[in-house]
Amino acid sequence: MKRYYLAIDIGASSGRHIVGWREDGKIKAKEVYRFPSGVQEQNGHLVWDVDALLSHVKAGIAAAKAEFPEIVSLSVDTWAVDYVLLRGEEEVCPVYAYRDSRTEAAIPKVHEILPFAELYAKTGCQFQPFNSIYQFYADKLTGRLEGVTDFLMIPEYLLWKLCGVKSREYTNATTTGMVNAETGKFDPEIISALGLPPIFPKLQKPGTVLGEYEGIKCVLCATHDTASAVEGIPMDGSQPYISSGTWSLLGVKTPKPITNTASRAANYSNEGGVGYNRYQKNIMGMWLVNELQKELCSGLGFAEIVNAAKESCCDALIDANAPEFLAPKSMKAAFDTATGGKLISIGDYFRCAYRSLAESYAKALAELERNTGKQYDKLYIVGGGAKNEFLNHLTAKATGKRVVALPIEATALGNLKIQMEADL
């Protein structure tokens, strides 16, 4: 008899419920529910509506059960770094989103106490202005940590609301900038130096069964979506990968963290995998394209946008990872400023975006090969961006690698794979 499992995979712009099962030695999957996610503006800040997320999570579970009554287990993965503070059993609202600018004042204060070189040597975690460590310190500066007894990363928060059990999953915790690269535990020296409350307990591994929701086991997958995505790639050996979505995550599996000066200079991160280290880098992704599409041509589909980009002869490039593209009020204006007004047609904007992404991939991959001391011949691409043949072509040309594009729900497949292994 087939056993069915439910992956709840939530990205920064949409979420999906995917039921999976084993058939003929492979994982088969079917999407049963999809819903919008996304940040909201509230009092000048960017926040998550976690109540709406939870409502959709439960609605999707009901839809899955209606079609597949015998679901064995479920798990939730989301983006990293964001969390919900708790005072007892009560949420501290709002729940800030990583694109919010509230960490600007906190970052230099953290680095006065713990210079980034020291932080990187301890954690191997890249610098990003949204890293949880800076968010927590911003909370301290504004008094939000007063009386706080707990915190849960977003997927663990949703699982808690389903099964009543609190957990902190290892792969997600390694994105906080507070987990020691050698011990795999929250670093007590970092927590003490920053004067943070004692709310950072023992971490749990993917595959841990937490409890039940309506008779369905709630299991920890690799709750950081990129960690699950890497588990979902049918990879030939250990080759570089790009998980291409709102962000592009480029990396490779390594036996242990690489925390040398060159890695810090290139801003490579060491994050938890399922039995390995993920040596990877956050690179800008489809955010550029999505925001341009909303602003310039909301009525056009992406096939039309790609065709327009192909027809353009524009050779302008931007630095796709420059801070002015993180959360601009106008993405078009940001492109105009960066290119000196060279972009004329819609095709020019999208050609510039796609070429700039491909060049950023090439630069990051060259850094990866220098820092690991290895050369690779393939580059696996999964996620939404893998469906874009034009971007894949540009990436192959820029990197000189054989691009293996797998337009699969790799994150959901990795989520399902971990549940299935926990069920053995």
Side-chain angles (χ1 to χ4, degrees), residues 183-353:
T183 66
K185 301 175 181 179
F186 280 116
D187 191 305
E189 293 181 0
I190 293 175
I191 294 163
S192 175
L194 296 180
L196 300 179
I199 57 173
F200 302 94
K202 182 178 178 181
L203 300 175
Q204 293 174 284
K205 297 290 188 180
T208 302
V209 178
L210 300 178
E212 289 192 355
Y213 173 74
E214 296 186 351
I216 302 173
K217 286 189 293 185
C218 294
V219 178
L220 284 178
C221 64
T223 64
H224 179 202
D225 52 10
T226 305
S228 272
V230 173
E231 279 297 288
I233 300 173
M235 189 179 294
D236 179 18
S238 181
Q239 297 284 343
Y241 57 82
I242 296 176
S243 179
S244 177
T246 303
W247 285 96
S248 295
L249 288 301
L250 184 148
V252 71
K253 299 176 184 178
T254 62
K256 61 181 182 179
I258 306 172
T259 59
N260 55 28
T261 302
S263 296
R264 172 166 57 84
N267 210 29
Y268 259 84
S269 200
N270 293 273
E271 297 176 7
V274 185
Y276 49 83
N277 179 69
R278 288 181 292 117
Y279 184 72
Q280 67 179 39
K281 185 171 186 173
N282 280 43
I283 305 172
M284 183 58 75
M286 294 302 108
W287 168 255
L288 294 180
V289 176
N290 294 345
E291 292 300 295
L292 284 174
Q293 189 259 353
K294 288 178 188 176
E295 192 170 350
L296 294 176
C297 51
S298 59
L300 290 184
F302 282 102
E304 296 168 293
I305 287 169
V306 168
N307 286 335
K310 287 180 179 178
E311 292 170 2
S312 168
C313 296
C314 180
D315 63 357
L317 291 170
I318 62 163
D319 177 359
N321 297 296
E324 56 263 35
F325 299 106
L326 181 62
K329 292 188 179 298
S330 167
M331 187 64 77
K332 176 185 181 298
F335 268 70
D336 289 341
T337 299
T339 60
K342 292 181 180 179
L343 309 179
I344 307 301
S345 69
I346 287 175
D348 291 350
Y349 283 92
F350 289 101
R351 182 177 182 84
C352 178

Side-chain angles (χ1 to χ4, degrees), residues 124-140:
C125 189
Q126 67 183 332
F127 171 76
Q128 292 289 349
F130 47 68
N131 285 352
S132 311
I133 186 172
Y134 307 121
Q135 295 201 51
F136 277 115
Y137 205 73
D139 286 333
K140 177 182 176 179

